Amino acid sequence: MNAEANGGSLDGAVIAVAGAAGPAGKAALLRLAEAGATVIAADADPARLAEAVDAARYAHGGAEVVGDTVDLLDLDATRAWVDKTEKEFGRVDGLVHLVGGWRGAPSFAESDLKDWDFLEKLLIRTVQHTSLAFHDALLRSGGRGRYVLVSQVGAHKPQANNAAYNAGKAAAEAWTLAMADSFRKLGGDDGPQAAAAILVIKALVHDAMRAERPNAKFAGFTDVKDLADEVVGLWDRPAQEVNGQRLWLTPEP
């Protein structure tokens, strides 16, 4: 089955996925390839990245899925990734940000600020670098540019034992909404010509988790395949409609 046969809604689009080697990244690669996009996958782990890219290529023969090992904690390296992608493929229509990590504490008073140092890099710095690097390229995509952040409900209802994680997610959301405001202002009377949007979840679940815990309910969790569907759906809606929006995949607190 190839992208052309699928009649994908993203035929001709070039979409980058950061954090592509994790379960959510793998699902996104598969779904984007199925929709017809050329997918540019990035991760810091070259072995896991190669496995994810090969799986997407195998599932959708004829789809163009390439992998780049990129250090997203290096702004210059991130900018070089965007420049390379735009030069090679002629355009960049999206960045799906799936870089994540979690550390918690037994209680608020026992929060370890070393966890903040760790999470600040993963949850905030990578968002800063990808958004700054992709901003102009997304504007050049002719209304199709999308920056997609996946956030978590704790950014809006922080928990005592998740202070560092919740604060990091809240900061990443604020940064993404500032990007959306830039798109709005630069669009002028015509409206934004690119969009930055946030998908908010409680937690993610995938088939391997269900296999490991067959009796678990995973209540309120979002399946990584459903998340991938929501990501693709952002290109079916106009930039003006999704720019600066939080799209809730879990009940809003």
Side-chain angles (χ1 to χ4, degrees):
M1 181 167 58
N2 58 41
E4 185 176 351
N6 294 339
S9 61
L10 289 176
D11 285 344
V14 178
I15 299 175
V17 179
K26 290 178 179 178
L29 297 187
L30 288 168
R31 185 66 185 87
L32 289 164
E34 180 185 40
T38 294
V39 189
I40 315 301
D43 201 274
D45 186 322
R48 292 175 66 224
L49 176 62
E51 179 185 343
V53 167
D54 286 346
R57 287 175 178 163
Y58 179 79
H60 303 292
E64 186 157 18
V65 185
V66 301
D68 289 320
T69 304
V70 183
D71 181 5
L72 298 178
L73 294 176
D74 183 330
L75 178 57
D76 289 338
T78 308
R79 291 189 191 277
W81 178 43
V82 180
D83 292 344
K84 171 179 175 286
T85 300
E86 194 170 23
K87 183 176 180 180
E88 183 171 350
F89 296 98
R91 58 189 299 117
V92 177
D93 299 292
L95 184 283
V96 182
H97 193 280
L98 297 172
V99 180
W102 177 84
R103 287 186 182 180
S107 68
F108 178 79
E110 295 172 280
S111 295
D112 187 341
L113 292 181
K114 290 181 181 177
D115 290 344
W116 170 258
D117 294 338
F118 171 78
L119 291 170
E120 184 272 337
K121 292 182 176 65
L122 287 179
L123 303 183
I124 306 172
R125 189 66 65 183
T126 58
V127 170
Q128 291 173 326
H129 288 174
T130 54
S131 60
L132 291 171
F134 278 86
H135 179 275
D136 290 356
L138 295 179
L139 283 174
R140 288 191 288 268
S141 78
R144 216 174 187 185
R146 301 287 184 274
Y147 184 95
V148 187
L149 176 74
V150 177
S151 189
Q152 198 266 344
V153 67
H156 305 272
K157 191 177 181 180
Q159 296 180 324
N161 63 328
N162 276 335
Y165 178 76
N166 294 159
K169 282 294 190 182
E173 284 198 14
W175 189 275
T176 301
L177 293 175
M179 183 187 197
D181 191 52
S182 175
F183 289 153
R184 180 185 64 81
K185 289 176 177 175
L186 292 171
D189 293 339
D190 294 331
Q193 300 305 298
I198 300 165
L199 299 176
V200 187
I201 62 166
K202 174 183 176 181
L204 292 173
V205 64
H206 51 86
D207 291 344
M209 289 173 62
R210 292 192 180 95
E212 291 170 3
R213 299 170 58 192
N215 296 321
K217 300 297 185 184
F218 299 108
F221 285 36
T222 299
D223 192 284
V224 292
K225 297 184 185 74
D226 294 330
L227 177 67
D229 285 339
E230 294 289 341
V231 167
V232 169
L234 292 174
W235 276 269
D236 294 332
R237 301 163 63 181
Q240 293 91 332
E241 185 178 314
V242 298
N243 186 52
Q245 298 299 308
R246 290 185 181 93
L247 306 172
W248 292 83
L249 308 186
T250 187
E252 187 172 352

